[in-house]
Amino acid sequence: MQATSRTGASWFIRLVVVTLLVGVGSGVAGIAVTLLLRVAQHLAFGYSDGTFLEGVLGAEPWRRVVALAAAGVIGGFGWWALRRWGRAIVPVADVVDGARMPGLPSLLHAALQITIVGLGASIGRELAPRELGALFGSWLSDRAGLSPRDRRVLVAAGAGAGLAAVYNVPLGGAIFTLEVLLLDLSITAVIVALATSAIATLVARIVVPNEPLYALPSLPVTPSLVVWACLAGPVLGLAGAGFVRAIEVARDRRPTGWRLTVVMPLVFTGIGALAVVFPQLLGNGRALGQVAFDVALPTATIALLLVLKAVVTLATIGSGASGGTLTPSLAIGAALGMVGGALWNHLWPGTPVASFVLVAAAAFLAASLRAPITALALVFEFTNQQLGMLVPAMIAVAGSIAVARLLERRRVTGVD
């Protein structure tokens, strides 16, 4: 269909209708992702209610090994077949810039991601709903004959709305659209991003609980926390930038061809064996994040878990799996905050450790996403915290993103 001009009643009506439909479609994608994830989790670990970590802890240890081995086989053979016979998967950023996504391969790609996460793979689930939202936004925009500029906005909004739907974070999804995918604060972009994320979140609430991802009480802001945020922010930025670089290296070295069917099952089975002792390593990172917020384990154990979580996430990516890194990054940041906060309280006591955890999670996530405002919005929606905690979180995020951007600039320009 021929693209319409960006003026007049016809253009406005088409834009409104497509915006509404993209919001609904992204919400439906969020529902599908959530249901598939639950089915995989419940079948793998034999539980019917409660959180994923509770289900894993209540299951027999052998199930962790078997579930991860099955994930490796499904993922290894699934991606090998998809990459051999299917059309190449197009990244969301390229679709925003005008590329077209192949329909069936993209759907299968998303299904593989969610299946292996449900079986316990250490990778995020947020990439799949973003891809599905972008696919739907692209398809609808083309059918409606929208201009390339409007198509770009709707594709990005669909991806952000998919994120919003699956995690119940309407503001975070909208800001992700504007800050990460579009870098655009035009009135049209803002309205479309807000509307699609809100609609998708409402639709997805049919199955996605309308509650924070992490349960924790209202946290206080103390002078000790503010000082710690000033000092810890740059350190967390350094750690976040290092994690991003390690992810890039892992992706560049992942196996291809038939090797994928061997490497992924072996790596996943090894992670499953490790999870017999450390079940918090399984899944997209929510389990470790909640343990850190709850300060449910000794500091030394959390320190070990954060190192192992980083290693198994990199191993998962390096084995050839596709998926997001948002929740693994947040979990690692939260664990760093728990360890750092516990040590800091020996020098300056009086602040709940969970306050340090929240600040560190935001700072590490900002560096790994390269998106400070998105990270703040997501962490505060994930935890439903009072706005007073924004002050130390913003201080830490500022220090974190400054160091991360400086390191990225030095690496790109080759400055010593």
Side-chain angles (χ1 to χ4, degrees):
M1 184 179 291
Q2 184 178 0
T4 58
S5 64
R6 303 186 78 249
T7 58
S10 175
W11 165 76
F12 179 77
I13 292 172
R14 289 190 185 203
L15 184 64
V16 169
V17 170
V18 174
T19 297
L20 293 173
L21 291 177
V22 168
V24 172
S26 297
V28 172
I31 291 174
V33 164
T34 301
L35 292 177
L36 178 58
L37 183 75
R38 289 177 183 172
V39 169
Q41 289 174 337
H42 294 170
L43 288 177
F45 299 102
Y47 70 101
S48 57
D49 53 30
T51 67
F52 174 70
L53 180 58
E54 290 170 344
V56 170
L57 291 173
E60 299 89 341
W62 62 264
R63 279 183 175 266
R64 302 168 199 170
V65 181
V66 171
L68 264 294
V73 172
I74 292 170
F77 281 89
W79 272 304
W80 167 73
L82 192 58
R83 291 165 187 170
R84 179 171 181 178
W85 290 298
R87 292 172 57 191
I89 301 300
V90 181
V92 170
D94 292 347
V95 183
V96 172
D97 289 337
R100 263 52 180 179
M101 299 179 79
L104 181 58
S106 297
L107 294 174
L108 294 174
H109 183 61
L112 281 172
Q113 293 175 53
I114 299 305
T115 300
I116 68 165
V117 172
L119 295 174
S122 180
I123 201 164
R125 58 174 162 144
E126 75 279 355
L127 180 58
R130 279 161 39 196
E131 290 177 338
L132 294 176
L135 175 64
F136 193 58
S138 172
W139 183 81
L140 274 177
S141 297
D142 291 341
R143 295 301 178 276
L146 295 181
S147 69
R149 182 177 175 182
D150 290 332
R151 177 189 181 279
R152 183 173 186 272
V153 171
L154 265 300
V155 169
L163 171 65
V166 80
Y167 283 126
N168 191 42
V169 286
L171 182 60
I175 295 177
F176 179 85
T177 297
L178 299 169
E179 184 183 27
V180 177
L181 297 176
L182 286 178
L183 294 175
D184 183 358
L185 288 177
S186 66
I187 293 299
T188 299
V190 171
I191 291 173
V192 170
L194 291 173
T196 51
S197 286
I199 294 168
T201 303
L202 286 173
V203 171
R205 282 178 182 170
I206 296 172
V207 299
V208 177
N210 183 20
E211 58 189 31
L213 191 66
Y214 297 100
L216 63 159
S218 180
L219 300 173
V221 178
T222 65
S224 171
L225 179 64
V226 174
V227 173
W228 184 85
C230 295
L231 299 174
V235 178
L236 291 161
L238 179 63
F243 185 58
V244 169
R245 180 57 183 154
I247 289 172
E248 293 172 352
V249 172
R251 283 178 176 154
D252 290 342
R253 297 182 178 179
R254 67 185 185 181
T256 57
W258 63 267
R259 296 174 184 83
L260 190 63
T261 65
V262 176
V263 174
M264 193 179 294
L266 288 176
V267 170
F268 278 37
T269 302
I271 295 173
L274 194 60
V276 171
V277 182
F278 302 106
Q280 299 85 0
L281 297 176
L282 294 182
N284 64 352
R286 183 183 179 184
L288 177 58
Q290 190 64 65
V291 167
F293 277 116
D294 293 342
V295 196
L297 292 172
T299 303
T301 303
I302 293 292
L304 177 59
L305 283 171
L306 79 86
V307 173
L308 292 176
K309 186 64 177 178
V311 170
V312 299
T313 300
L314 294 173
T316 300
I317 295 170
S319 72
S322 294
T325 58
L326 190 158
T327 38
S329 296
L330 189 144
I332 293 168
L336 283 168
M338 190 262 174
V339 173
L343 296 175
W344 181 260
N345 263 343
H346 289 294
L347 300 175
W348 191 341
T351 303
V353 173
S355 295
F356 299 102
V357 175
L358 183 139
V359 169
F364 190 90
L365 184 60
S368 63
L369 285 179
R370 303 180 179 94
I373 302 175
T374 300
L376 285 167
L378 288 173
V379 169
F380 274 76
E381 283 190 296
F382 281 158
T383 60
N384 196 29
Q385 275 305 298
Q386 44 98 7
L387 294 181
M389 281 294 294
L390 268 173
V391 173
M394 289 171 65
I395 292 171
V397 165
S400 170
I401 204 71
V403 169
R405 287 297 173 89
L406 177 62
L407 292 173
E408 182 180 13
R409 181 176 178 273
R410 288 167 66 91
R411 181 166 66 86
V412 171
T413 60
V415 176
D416 293 327

